[in-house]
Structure formats: C-alpha cells, structure tokens
Amino acid sequence: MAKAVRIHETGGPDALRLEEVDVGEPGPGEVRLRHVAVGLNYADTYFRNGTYPVPLPAGMGVEAAGVVQAVGEGVTQVSVGDRVTYTGFLNTLGAYSTERLIAAAPLIQLPESIGFETAAAMTMRGLTSAYLMRRIHPFKAGDTLLLHAAAGGVGLIVSQWARLLGINVIGTVSTDQKAEVARAHGCTHTINYSHEDVAARVRELTDGRGADVVFDSVGKTTFMASLDALKRRGLMVCVGTASGPIDGFNPNLLAMKGSLYLTRPALADYIADPREKAELAAEVFGHVAAGRIRIDIHQHYALEDAAQAHRDLESRKTTGSSIFVV
C-alpha cells in the first residue's frame, strides 16, 4: 500500500493525516508515479486551512519528482522508467504521497543533470522565478527590484537570476541570519523589516527614486510599504499573501502614489501553454545545470512529519527550499 498525507477537514497543521491508500492502475491519459522527493510550498497551507477550497477529503501538495511506474491508454509523452517532475494547482493536488496516479499532461521530463531532490525543491519555485524574471517586466541592467521574503525558496532563485541580469536587488528579511543568506545569493542590499522602515530605506538606497519593480509574496502586512517604495509609474507584483489577503483596495491609490501599475499573476497562467512551460523549464533547468543558479535545500522532512513542516513554514523558521524525502 502507498502512503499519502490527506485532510478530512480544513484547519491547522494537525488536520494533516498520513494514511495508507490503494493507488490502482492508471486510466486513459494517466500514469502511476513513484515519488522520490516532494516539494513543500507555502501554497500548501492554503489548501489545508481552506483559503483555497477543495472537495474533502483531499490530498496535499502540488509538486514532486519521481519515476513513472505505469502508463495508461493514450499516454505518449512519457514512458515507464522516465524521470519526471511536476507542479500545478488543482490538477496536481496530492503530491504528499509515496505513489500516486496523475494525469500525464503536467509531467516534465527531468534532465539527467538534475536530481530528484533538487527537482522537488525547484520546479514550482523555479518556474515561478522564470515567469517573474522573463515574462512580467522587461528588466534591464541597472534596474532596482524590491524583493520581499528574499531568503525564501523563490527569493533565493530570483536573487541569483537578477544578479545574472545586472539588476540591483533590495531584499527584505525578518532576521539578520536571513539577511546573510539573501546577500550570499545576490541581494545588493537587505532590509530587516522587523526594525527598519522598508519604504524609507528603499528611498534612501535609490537616492529618493524608488524601486522599478516590487515582488511581494507577503501581502497584507507589506502591501502599503511596497507601493510607497516604488518609483513613479513603477510596477507592483503581488505574488502571494503569506500574511493574509489584501482587502478593500481602492485603485485610485495607484494614481495618488505615482501612476503605479499593479498585477497579481498566477503560475498556472504561465505554464498553461505546453510550449511556454517547456521554454521556462528549459531556461531555469539550464541555469541550475550550469551552476549559474544553485538550489539550496535547507529543510528535509519525512511525510509523517508533515504537520511540523507546516508549522515551521508558517512560523517563518525556514530558509531556502524545503522538501519531503519519500
């Protein structure tokens, strides 16, 4: 029997249960996949606590890497024995498992140069970083990017990618330890938001001009500071809401603060086209394989420790990427 972490009701980390499941054989368009490593993402907590509602009971997790064990009728893009990775949203929910059935469509062939643990730690974060750096804004050398959660999984990849492009990155962090991690991965400057005024410090570091772009994955508690840190006609990119949703926003605020631009992208819309997903995956895998971007896995968990993993994630104890080793 395979094992899977599931929820029967929404709630805190203790809602997560490790259960035995009968996987069965793949149907048309499906594969049976044996996981080697599973990604842990902040978005997983949204499924668990009900922010992203799904029919219950439900599996957890949307990202993993492993080996194809069997293929169903009509599957031609992968074969038994192939090394693959995947990420998605509702179509890949259920990654916290030792083995599963999954549609073949989201699967990405894994280059031999990328290990399973690295893949599980970087597929969602890497593709997110890829669309942020290559699709959201025409970055050029000398631009200034304000990057919240700079010591997180996406933050560390974005910082390294930005350094390759000659972008000045100002990263926000919650501790001095995280500041050291962020600077080691490409941040030009760091701001400890626990005791520094983010917007004022950005203005100081940019001679009063402000940042060209903000990547804000924190949400409620950083939203206003992010707007105040932008230059005139700058771009605010809401990537996530780790501190809670942004409520009651008046668009006139954008005009009052300098004719700012605001977008709230989702990874699903940048990997919906198979060709675009392949392009983004090839670019980020290429950077990692060549050593231009390194993936730091700072936390390893077993599936039975899923509740603790979520506690660590929500208390901001983690840096870099976190995975489950199956």
Side-chain angles (χ1 to χ4, degrees):
M1 295 284 283
K3 293 183 179 181
V5 175
R6 294 161 58 81
I7 58 168
H8 293 260
E9 58 184 14
T10 58
D14 289 336
L16 300 170
R17 303 183 191 174
L18 182 63
E19 303 174 341
E20 290 191 341
V21 295
D22 184 10
V23 174
E25 294 301 315
E30 291 184 327
V31 308
R32 188 173 75 244
L33 187 63
R34 175 179 61 83
H35 287 155
V36 178
V38 176
L40 172 64
N41 296 284
Y42 204 92
D44 301 345
T45 68
Y46 297 156
F47 288 105
R48 189 209 70 225
N49 64 28
T51 300
Y52 294 159
V54 293
L56 299 176
M60 284 287 101
V62 297
E63 172 183 37
V67 180
V68 176
Q69 300 294 292
V71 299
E73 180 183 351
V75 174
T76 58
Q77 63 267 54
V78 294
S79 303
V80 172
D82 281 356
R83 302 168 69 254
V84 297
T85 185
Y86 67 84
T87 190
F89 195 63
L90 293 177
N91 63 328
T92 61
L93 193 63
Y96 288 13
S97 57
T98 57
E99 195 172 351
R100 69 174 299 183
L101 297 180
I102 186 172
L107 301 180
I108 302 170
Q109 293 274 2
L110 194 55
E112 289 297 326
S113 56
I114 305 292
F116 290 114
E117 292 191 9
T118 299
M122 69 166 285
T123 301
M124 174 175 278
R125 296 169 179 87
L127 289 172
T128 298
S129 300
Y131 87 72
L132 287 173
M133 297 307 301
R134 305 301 281 174
R135 298 291 190 271
I136 291 291
H137 178 77
F139 282 110
K140 62 184 184 300
D143 283 348
T144 296
L145 168 66
L146 174 60
L147 175 65
H148 288 290
V154 170
L156 296 185
I157 298 174
V158 166
S159 296
Q160 293 175 83
W161 205 318
R163 180 167 56 187
L164 294 175
L165 299 176
I167 297 167
N168 299 314
V169 182
I170 302 173
T172 72
V173 295
S174 59
T175 68
D176 291 340
Q177 178 189 10
K178 289 184 177 182
E180 291 180 11
V181 173
R183 287 193 295 269
H185 286 76
C187 282
T188 312
H189 304 281
T190 56
I191 300 173
N192 188 329
Y193 61 77
S194 65
H195 61 80
E196 292 184 275
D197 183 314
V198 172
R201 185 73 176 121
V202 169
R203 294 287 174 187
E204 180 182 339
L205 292 169
T206 59
D207 296 324
R209 180 173 177 269
D212 295 277
V213 180
V214 176
F215 289 165
D216 190 336
S217 59
V218 179
K220 184 176 182 178
T221 61
T222 54
F223 182 69
M224 293 304 299
S226 293
L227 295 181
D228 289 337
L230 279 167
K231 71 170 189 178
R232 181 176 289 134
R233 293 164 59 181
L235 173 63
M236 167 69 163
V237 185
C238 297
V239 190
T241 53
S243 67
I246 301 161
D247 297 321
F249 170 68
N250 183 347
N252 287 334
L253 195 61
L254 299 176
M256 295 168 57
K257 291 184 178 294
S259 298
L260 305 178
Y261 294 88
L262 171 68
T263 185
R264 198 338 181 163
L267 173 61
D269 293 314
Y270 290 84
I271 60 175
D273 181 329
R275 180 176 296 180
E276 184 168 29
K277 180 172 74 171
E279 289 175 354
L280 293 174
E283 189 159 8
V284 68
F285 284 150
H287 282 315
V288 172
R292 292 185 293 268
I293 292 176
R294 73 176 191 266
I295 306 300
D296 289 342
I297 306 172
H298 290 169
Q299 294 80 215
H300 295 75
Y301 300 94
L303 285 176
E304 53 262 37
D305 299 324
Q308 186 60 50
H310 277 222
R311 291 189 195 100
D312 291 347
L313 200 61
E314 291 180 305
S315 64
R316 301 186 183 181
K317 291 182 179 179
T318 64
T319 59
S321 295
S322 304
I323 64 168
F324 296 100
V325 179
V326 179

